[in-house]
């Protein structure tokens, strides 16, 4: 479940997180809060969250399945079971991403309000809302494949850490930078001269922490949805060649999870 940020400066962790700045008093202004919320809406749009969740799901499911002897055995006996599980899980994860998107944006808006001056917030809002930068952000999002994130999760009991996210976003940014348009270069160069750019770069570690927090966030109901989707997807796949086994898989799951 990842998030697309606007440029290399936005994605690269470059120093410690800023402490709550003296300008935080400005956060009491409704106008200032609104600007910070608008920034978060551009930096963490729901459609990109949903799109990235769809792309990250295969890598995460495959990485976790590789750690499960039982699933590997099932895949060997019924080839395509893993693909069926991925297909079944994608819409569940996409729906979950859309559901928690407002919470993620709220967490992103908070450090902007705590660390930017009103002027810096307006500069940053103009930057992230520019059509050229939005185009660049979409390219970054499309490039993010989350292979490192998936590997970290598989090695750490499904827990997603900041390092894998940072590596995956940096790879995505590097690919996007190779296709910068002249207009994008001019806008980014101008933005980099601002104090807003320096502060946003320093907020990189904090923003990765927020991403990791929500990537790991779950509820029992969501986990049950995921499990049910996987079982249903695999059973439907196996039905094509072994209906009896597929029915046993469904019956066993329903007996263990009556609700």
């Amino acid at each position: 479940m990842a998030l697309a940020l606007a440029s290399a400066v936005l994605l690269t962790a470059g120093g410690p997180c800023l402490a709550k700045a003296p300008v935080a008093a400005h956060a009491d202004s409704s106008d200032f809060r609104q600007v910070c919320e608008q920034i978060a809406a551009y930096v963490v749009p729901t459609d990109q969250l949903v799109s990235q969740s769809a792309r990250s799901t295969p890598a995460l499911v495959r990485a976790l399945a590789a750690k499960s002897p039982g699933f590997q055995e099932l895949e060997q006996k019924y080839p395509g079971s893993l693909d069926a599980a991925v297909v079944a899980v994608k819409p569940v994860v996409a729906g979950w991403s859309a559901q928690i998107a407002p919470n993620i944006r709220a967490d992103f808006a908070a450090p902007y309000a705590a660390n930017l001056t009103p002027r810096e917030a307006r500069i940053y809002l103009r930057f992230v809302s520019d059509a050229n930068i939005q185009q660049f952000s979409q390219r970054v999002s499309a490039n993010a494949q989350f292979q490192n994130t998936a590997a970290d999760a598989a090695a750490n009991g499904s827990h997603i850490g900041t390092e894998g996210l940072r590596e995956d976003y940096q790879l995505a940014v590097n690919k996007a930078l190779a296709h910068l348009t002249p207009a994008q270069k001019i806008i980014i160069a101008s933005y980099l001269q601002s104090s807003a750019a320096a502060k946003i770069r320093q907020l990189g570690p904090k923003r990765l922490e927020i991403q990791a927090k929500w990537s790991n966030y779950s509820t029992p109901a969501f986990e049950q949805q995921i499990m049910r989707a996987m079982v249903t997807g695999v059973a439907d796949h196996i039905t094509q060649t072994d209906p009896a086994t597929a029915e046993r898989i469904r019956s066993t799951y329903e007996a263990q999870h009556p609700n």
Side-chain angles (χ1 to χ4, degrees):
M1 322 232 192
L3 313 171
L5 308 183
S7 75
V9 182
L10 312 188
L11 292 168
T12 304
C17 295
L18 294 175
K20 193 167 184 179
V23 299
H26 291 293
D28 293 332
S29 162
S30 60
D31 288 343
F32 181 65
R33 286 200 305 273
Q34 185 176 36
V35 169
C36 293
E37 290 166 0
Q38 289 175 329
I39 291 170
Y42 279 106
V43 174
V44 196
T46 298
D47 60 342
Q48 286 190 19
L49 281 175
V50 171
S51 175
Q52 286 193 348
S53 74
R55 287 197 304 281
S56 66
T57 298
L60 289 169
V61 172
R62 293 178 190 282
L64 294 173
K67 305 281 285 186
S68 169
F71 209 112
Q72 293 175 44
E73 182 178 333
L74 195 65
E75 175 65 21
Q76 289 175 359
K77 189 172 182 179
Y78 303 101
S81 294
L82 182 56
D83 288 339
V86 169
V87 170
V89 166
K90 272 187 178 182
V92 178
V93 176
W96 178 250
S97 297
Q99 180 180 332
I100 65 175
N103 305 81
I104 300 173
R105 283 193 286 272
D107 270 9
F108 265 70
Y112 299 145
N115 292 286
L116 300 178
T117 66
R119 179 176 178 277
E120 289 166 342
R122 288 193 296 271
I123 290 172
Y124 189 39
L125 177 59
R126 283 197 299 272
F127 176 68
V128 296
S129 63
D130 186 278
N132 290 285
I133 299 306
Q134 282 292 295
Q135 183 183 47
F136 178 77
S137 175
Q138 290 165 6
R139 185 182 290 274
V140 172
S141 176
N143 287 338
Q145 298 302 315
F146 304 103
Q147 299 298 327
N148 292 301
T149 302
D152 282 354
N156 293 285
S158 302
H159 181 80
I160 292 175
T162 59
E163 187 58 23
L165 285 169
R166 186 193 65 77
E167 291 172 351
D168 285 329
Y169 279 123
Q170 191 61 65
L171 287 171
V173 166
N174 289 343
K175 291 179 181 178
L177 287 173
H179 300 280
L180 277 179
T181 66
Q184 289 168 342
K185 290 179 181 178
I186 292 172
I187 294 167
I188 291 175
S190 175
Y191 165 72
L192 288 176
Q193 297 177 26
S194 70
S195 60
K199 286 188 179 180
I200 291 299
R201 186 171 186 271
Q202 287 181 291
L203 285 172
K206 177 62 177 176
R207 301 195 312 178
L208 284 173
E209 288 174 8
I210 294 171
Q211 283 186 259
K213 166 189 169 181
W214 287 104
S215 295
N216 290 306
Y217 177 72
S218 184
T219 65
F222 174 58
E223 291 172 8
Q224 186 171 346
Q225 281 184 295
I226 291 289
M227 183 58 67
R228 183 175 294 276
M230 289 185 68
V231 170
T232 299
V234 171
D236 288 349
H237 171 71
I238 294 174
T239 294
Q240 301 174 42
T241 55
D242 190 346
T245 295
E247 184 56 34
R248 281 198 298 274
I249 291 174
R250 293 191 188 93
S251 299
T252 299
Y253 179 78
E254 292 301 332
Q256 295 174 346
H257 305 85
N259 297 320

